[in-house]
Amino acid sequence: FAALAVLLKAPDRKKSFKSVEDSLRIKISEANHTLGFENLAQSVDPLIQQCGPLPESNTSDTAWDFSCVTLSILFELKNILKDGALLSVQHKSHLRAAAEFLSALGVSPLLQPGVGIPLESRCNAPITFPRNDTKKLSYLLRAILCLMQNKNTDIYSVFTANLMLDILAGLFQLSHEDKSFKLETSKFIRSTHPPTVMKYLLLLLKPNPKCPKWFLLTTTSYLNKCLMSPGGVISTVRALHDVQSEHDVLEKYAKTARIILQPDFARNAEYYKKLCPQVLYLLNSSNEEYKKVASEIVQGLHLKNAEFCHQGLFFPICQVFEQDFGDLEGRLILDQEQEIKISSSVELLILLISHSKISPDVLSRHFNDICAFYLATRKTGGTPALRCRTKDLLSQVIVQAEEASIWHTISTLPEDCLESLSEDSAVAQAMFSNFLKRFSTVDDLQEKMLLVSLLSSLAGLPSVQDEFMKKPSDQLINLLKVLLEGESAEILDLALMLLLAIISHSEDNLKKCQKLLPAVQKLRTSKHISEETKILVEQTFAIIATFGAVSGDLLLVEKKLKKMFKEKKKIEEIKPQKPQQAGPAKLSFKESLEEAADEEIPVKGHGYLSLTKLIRNKDQYSKEQAAELFQLAVSGMEHDDSYVYLAAVGMMSALILENLALLPKLAENYNKQELSLPLRNRIGEALLQVCKNLGEVAGSQRQILLNVYLSGAKDANPTHRASSLSNLGEACKVLGYRVSSDLQEILLCAQGLSTSDPDMHVRRAAALLLALLLQGLGTQAVNTLGSSSLDVYRTMKELAQSSDETLRLQAQLALEELNRGIKESIFKPQPMERHIYITSPPPI
């Protein structure tokens, strides 16, 4: 590193050099002197041994000599450095400078004009040494690839970040000039992280007027190969996420989708078969940008081939709904796996409909199944969140759908279901508009009667009246004319109801309805309508004919309208009844105890919840019976049903919070071997709830809380050890710097178990403990850990290379927390304050 520092040091400004070559020769001489060599040949000997003889050169090439000396030093470093060796910031800076010099003086001048990214666009004042020597370029790239063989060294990471563009450009040029180099190029690309390769391939394709055509074809060919490889789409999305600018986010998503969909569909059907599972993976990811890119891809694929898009994407998503849900009364019970699958499908469908321009009509083949699922769960089936999101999905389909089969299914939904959906004004307006359109196209009388009933219900909604009645369209007026000429009494009632609602809003509406006057006049002479309807026709005729001057018997009109609308009593007209006063506390406490002792699971769970409320409200009888309630809570935590034992855990935590003297008694039971494992884990959950609810006050009980979990971490059962470590991490997150007295014991426990425990779940929990501990310490992490910071860093760095994905994630989270704590402690934000003194001088 000392030799590198001398070699890469900026030239002394006080000294004058005839040329850049003179400066480079002096640097080479100084570096050889630092290494103890007398001449250039001695310093380059290691390089010759690694990669064969140097290419012969008739003329002195200072830049080439400089590159060879740099590579020679790097080869010595490669032989000395071990896997995972930690380099200082200054040493990494020397490596980056070496990579940049190899680019500027070594690889870049050997490339043909227009190949790769020009050096002029990467630095302000580039110095080039133009030459064309294929042997030197081949030798130089072989040496660089030899240095990058070990991916666990900093040389590999630095060269990947600073030399990848020149490496790829050089390999493509050599492959074009020498076909034998194609195999080595393909091998290098396959061995490199796919998103990294895709990123630099995309950068090489940036517009360059001097770029040779063969280079564009070669780069595009490798780009397509990477794109069609397993995981190629995901790698492309990640690469474009890093490469593209953020100034136009929507255009960024669209451009990504266009690149991924660029292969011709007819010629690359196999590629599109591989594409669909990867798009589904992106849609299910937690990254919002990936989801939006995936929705753009779905939209583009739908335009290319709608049938293939349905079979490859929408069918797998909707397949979960294609099952017999049995009872459609809204009481379907789902297991956890079904709940997760259906929730995921519902979220994906909402995402695709809301974030892309794909019409919901694409769901026409599956809409019956989606509606059947909603009907089966709309009351008590599934979680409230799932029912709500399924309702949101139906609402979005209703607002945007045009497919006749979808609207036929909607019209057959139960009345209470439609009433619930029409609470959304946009949904109500869409239903009213589409039902009106369908009415004019339907010939079946029974279906027409159904639509009349639906339109009658919707017409009374304020949102529908605001949209259609205040400013009626010509289409609605023409439809009313057809309805007024109908023979059915129900259709006639609907037409009169809508007409009266329209003309009651404004004079402009009266003018629009003048064209309906002949139809109303004809109804006055009809003998097929009831007397009540005839009176209503007379009133309507009088209002339209006189432009509202004669309003007739408005009370009769209002009565008729209310009857037609089938209005219910308004909420404000129903006076709320005063709640009955509860009985004495003793009776309430007794009833809760009886419920908790009941055998029925719902009653038993409700009893525990009632007792929890009484405890939190500081009920006197609850205080007196604390010991009995403690035993009752313990027995409830032994119950098999989650509704009961979760309520019992909540009751136990509330009881401990009201009486902290019971905390040691509960802690003693946590590590008792004679108790069942589920009970011990639930006691640990109760202790954790106590810790979280105590908050800042938890420091007074830290010895009990920490000791009980540390003892559990030594248990023979791996499940109990993992649970104890996880709970200990949550407790440390709450306690923060207050754990300093027990910090060394916690660190030894976490570091030891994370690396040596035979059970993977325990190692994961130990890594999570370190992450939560660092999160709790926050900006004080480095000061509190002291000299242990380095040990923690090394442990987590080692775990970050683990083969287990979850363990790597936990270790990475711990490293991020440690880095954040270091940054916040070193770079503290300076407060922007200014003190102004008006009536008194500033303090001295």
Side-chain angles (χ1 to χ4, degrees), residues 42-59:
Q42 289 182 350
S43 64
V44 182
D45 271 344
L47 183 64
I48 297 173
Q49 296 171 8
Q50 293 277 351
C51 299
L54 283 168
E56 296 181 1
S57 179
N58 297 327
T59 59

Side-chain angles (χ1 to χ4, degrees), residues 303-520:
L303 291 174
K304 280 198 169 206
N305 193 312
E307 182 59 28
F308 181 86
C309 182
H310 175 266
Q311 293 296 330
L313 294 171
F314 284 99
F315 180 75
I317 295 173
C318 298
Q319 198 172 13
V320 70
F321 298 108
E322 294 184 356
Q323 53 183 296
D324 183 15
F325 292 108
D327 182 19
L328 300 183
E329 295 300 321
R331 296 183 291 271
L332 178 68
I333 304 299
L334 300 173
D335 58 35
Q336 187 176 7
E337 185 178 356
Q338 287 178 317
E339 190 96 28
I340 293 172
K341 287 183 178 179
I342 295 177
S343 297
S344 175
S345 295
V346 170
E347 292 297 335
L348 289 183
L349 293 176
I350 292 176
L351 172 70
L352 292 175
I353 293 175
S354 59
H355 289 286
S356 66
K357 298 177 182 178
I358 297 177
S359 171
D361 294 342
V362 74
L363 301 178
S364 59
R365 306 181 200 181
H366 310 281
F367 193 67
N368 283 333
D369 299 324
I370 296 173
C371 289
F373 169 73
Y374 177 64
L375 293 177
T377 59
R378 70 188 189 278
K379 292 181 180 178
T380 58
T383 61
L386 177 58
R387 294 198 297 272
C388 180
R389 294 301 284 166
T390 309
K391 180 181 175 182
D392 291 342
L393 173 61
L394 289 179
S395 299
Q396 290 196 14
V397 172
I398 289 172
V399 170
Q400 303 177 42
E402 296 181 0
E403 181 71 29
S405 61
I406 290 180
W407 281 105
H408 175 73
T409 303
I410 294 170
S411 64
T412 58
L413 290 174
E415 184 179 352
D416 63 328
C417 180
L418 289 173
E419 186 177 349
S420 174
L421 289 168
S422 62
E423 292 173 358
D424 186 338
S425 59
V427 173
Q429 292 167 9
M431 284 198 292
F432 186 82
S433 174
N434 279 278
F435 288 155
L436 276 178
K437 292 178 184 177
R438 283 183 57 77
F439 188 86
S440 58
T441 58
V442 169
D443 296 327
D444 184 48
L445 182 60
Q446 185 177 358
E447 190 170 353
K448 276 194 172 185
M449 292 300 100
L450 175 62
L451 292 173
V452 167
S453 175
L454 294 173
L455 288 169
S456 301
S457 302
L458 292 168
L461 298 175
S463 59
V464 173
Q465 292 189 358
D466 290 342
E467 178 70 18
F468 297 97
M469 310 303 171
K470 285 185 177 180
K471 294 181 179 180
S473 63
D474 293 337
Q475 181 185 6
L476 180 58
I477 300 298
N478 294 331
L479 180 61
L480 285 177
K481 185 177 180 181
V482 175
L483 295 178
L484 289 170
E485 295 172 352
E487 297 181 356
S488 171
E490 290 82 359
I491 296 176
L492 181 58
D493 284 346
L494 172 64
L496 290 172
M497 176 186 66
L498 294 176
L499 181 55
L500 283 169
I502 290 172
I503 62 180
S504 63
H505 275 95
S506 66
E507 293 183 4
D508 291 337
N509 290 356
L510 277 170
K511 294 177 182 178
K512 283 186 177 181
C513 293
Q514 289 301 308
K515 62 169 69 175
L516 302 178
L517 195 60
V520 179

Side-chain angles (χ1 to χ4, degrees), residues 87-137:
L87 299 181
S88 67
V89 175
Q90 186 179 13
H91 288 167
K92 287 187 178 181
S93 177
H94 290 331
L95 285 178
R96 280 194 294 272
E100 290 168 1
F101 271 101
L102 284 174
S103 171
L105 302 178
V107 181
S108 186
L110 294 170
L111 298 176
Q112 294 181 14
V115 173
I117 304 296
L119 202 58
E120 296 83 10
S121 63
R122 290 186 271 171
C123 56
N124 295 329
I127 302 172
T128 58
F129 299 85
R131 55 184 181 270
N132 187 8
D133 195 327
T134 303
K135 291 183 178 180
K136 286 185 178 180
L137 179 61

Side-chain angles (χ1 to χ4, degrees), residues 89 182 184-185 208 218 283 406 611 744 762 791 805 844:
V89 175
K182 283 188 175 182
E184 194 160 349
T185 303
N208 182 4
T218 303
L283 287 170
I406 290 180
L611 288 171
Q744 290 304 318
V762 178
D791 294 335
E805 184 177 355
I844 299 174

